[in-house]
Amino acid sequence: MTHGFRPVAAPDAQIRAAAHQRQAQLTKPGGALGRLEELGNWVAACQGVCPPKQFERARVVVFAGDHGVAQHGVSAYPSEVTAQMVANFCGGGAAVNALAAVAGATVRVADISVDTDTDPQIGKHKVRRSSGAIDREDALSAEEVQAALAAGIAIADEEIDAGADLLIAGDMGIGNTTPATVLIATLTDTEPVAAVGRGTGVDDDGWARKVAAIRDAMRRARPVAKDPVELLRVAAGADFAAMAGFLAQAATRRTPVILDGVVVTAAALVAEDLAAGACAWWLAGHRSTEPAHTLALTRLRLEPLLDLNMRLGEGSGALTALPVLRAAVAALADMATFAEAGVSTAEPAAADSPAIVSGATADDDDAGGSAGTAAPSGASDSSAGLSPDADGSVHQSPNAKPDLTK
């Protein structure tokens, strides 16, 4: 059972083509803003409108959960820190709070499997107290994995129904890089020693214990690797299942997501198996120092925006990238065109040459996952079924053929 997820249609390729054409009309040399242009095109395609709108309700959801494997020396911190950090999030004193304030986002904390009681509002979707020690037992029961998936779906629906136009998944859980590495190494067929990082900063002895735990958990995970729900049940945990449901449901509801580090991206790998094509709605905010993160990003064909040697989690890397995405939207939406500004183009004749649709480039894949079906090279607004308003915005023409990818 996968909660009825179906393959997810890609963001609107026709709007992406219109955004690319608008980029060529703005007062700058073609391609001068580099990847910002591709990011702006991706946002426009996700929103289904060109120029795109600035994000009005960017929302971070931090999924909190403990893991039994943390009791076996795989982390530099004790499990009690999970609940303590949840309290810190609620008090506004964590990195996620500080970075969200700068980036123009708000924060929600969801206790999915913290090993203590928390505020009822935070814990309204709680599945259990701590997931099982995956190196020696299943993380969840069959009923619990379904409850955790349902929790993630419900949280995504709650946030989108409340007006969220951009989502970020964050994580908090001592020991959670161990199941994250198990998922990634299993799904990418990677040896544990090539995937294991230092997590919260374990010493050499702790690293060796972590490698052993991951090796044992991978042995248990391999027989169910092709079944995403069973893989979550056996080798992940309630917080991972909730994140996977959240990410798959966000894509199903055509809402863009910025992924954070290794933990969230491990859940994203499973979410892509749950809802094929979901990754087209995700952007990789940054590259973690954890080796497994690069493995997962490569598998998802996502190129991160930032590489700042971050490894905190919480959504911190995604939040640091959010202002870059806002800049891409602003450039595409707010810059004047050559005609509006009365600025001469460098090569007027170039306006008649065929346009290369950004949806057909590898860079667009990097900007937000799969680019979907690209419009033909040189397509005009009218041939794409689009018509510009007086203010330069683009919408579907009443006579346009329906977009069957939606």
Side-chain angles (χ1 to χ4, degrees):
M1 179 178 178
T2 60
H3 282 275
F5 285 119
R6 296 180 179 179
V8 178
D12 195 313
Q14 293 180 324
I15 294 294
R16 189 192 293 264
H20 178 81
Q21 291 170 346
R22 178 176 169 83
Q23 295 279 10
Q25 299 166 18
L26 301 178
T27 48
K28 58 178 176 59
L33 287 179
R35 195 172 171 199
L36 284 184
E37 297 184 16
E38 303 300 341
L39 291 169
N41 298 350
W42 176 70
V43 174
C46 290
Q47 294 179 352
V49 63
C50 178
K53 299 172 290 185
Q54 191 56 262
F55 301 110
E56 296 180 353
R57 193 174 190 273
R59 185 73 158 161
V60 186
V61 180
V62 180
F63 291 84
D66 279 305
H67 295 269
V69 72
Q71 303 298 324
H72 305 294
V74 300
S75 175
Y77 289 85
S79 294
E80 291 78 8
V81 170
T82 302
Q84 293 165 359
M85 284 303 300
V86 166
N88 193 24
F89 298 150
C90 295
V96 65
N97 306 106
L99 294 171
V102 171
T106 55
V107 179
R108 171 182 178 177
V109 183
D111 170 8
I112 304 299
S113 51
V114 177
D115 195 19
T116 188
D117 294 330
T118 57
D119 184 276
Q121 185 61 26
I122 295 172
K124 71 175 184 175
H125 293 293
K126 187 162 186 162
V127 173
R128 58 178 281 173
R129 290 180 60 159
S130 187
S131 298
I134 58 172
D135 58 334
R136 59 199 70 190
E137 62 182 335
D138 291 344
L140 304 168
S141 69
E143 294 77 16
E144 288 167 344
V145 72
Q146 295 295 339
L149 282 165
I153 293 168
I155 291 169
D157 285 337
E158 289 166 8
E159 294 302 332
I160 295 168
D161 290 345
D165 50 8
L166 177 74
L167 292 171
I168 291 173
D171 67 275
M172 180 61 223
I174 296 302
N176 64 7
T177 60
T178 295
T181 305
V182 170
L183 291 177
I184 294 168
T186 299
L187 291 172
T188 61
D189 194 24
T190 303
E191 288 297 320
V193 292
V196 179
R198 297 282 176 170
T200 51
V202 292
D203 58 17
D204 289 345
D205 290 341
W207 184 85
R209 289 191 295 270
K210 187 173 181 178
V211 170
I214 289 170
R215 178 200 63 213
D216 292 344
M218 287 179 66
R219 187 178 298 117
R220 303 183 70 258
R222 286 191 185 100
V224 296
K226 295 187 182 301
D227 183 331
V229 176
E230 275 294 283
L231 183 60
L232 291 167
R233 184 187 72 78
V234 170
D239 48 347
F240 283 84
M243 281 186 283
F246 176 85
L247 294 169
Q249 184 67 0
T252 298
R253 296 199 56 181
R254 304 181 69 82
T255 303
V257 175
I258 306 180
L259 301 180
D260 194 43
V262 67
V263 173
V264 172
T265 309
L269 273 183
V270 182
E272 173 66 14
D273 284 344
L274 287 170
C279 65
W281 294 87
W282 306 333
L283 175 72
H286 80 122
R287 187 189 307 278
S288 167
T289 59
E290 287 287 307
H293 193 215
T294 292
L295 294 170
L297 292 174
T298 300
R299 179 67 169 262
L300 290 169
R301 297 179 62 205
L302 296 176
E303 182 66 26
L305 282 186
L306 306 175
D307 192 344
L308 301 176
N309 294 324
M310 297 175 70
R311 55 181 176 84
L312 178 62
E314 302 179 11
S316 57
L319 281 167
T320 304
L322 176 53
V324 177
L325 192 60
R326 287 191 181 279
V329 173
L332 180 55
D334 299 339
M335 284 182 67
T337 65
F338 285 106
E340 290 167 343
V343 175
S344 299
T345 61
E347 297 179 11
D352 296 327
S353 61
I356 299 174
V357 177
S358 64
T361 68
D363 285 345
D364 249 359
D365 287 349
D366 291 342
S370 301
T373 303
S377 178
S380 66
D381 287 351
S382 59
S383 66
L386 306 170
S387 58
D389 289 334
D391 63 359
S393 63
V394 176
H395 58 86
Q396 293 288 346
S397 167
N399 298 321
K401 294 181 180 179
D403 181 0
L404 298 181
T405 65
K406 293 183 179 179

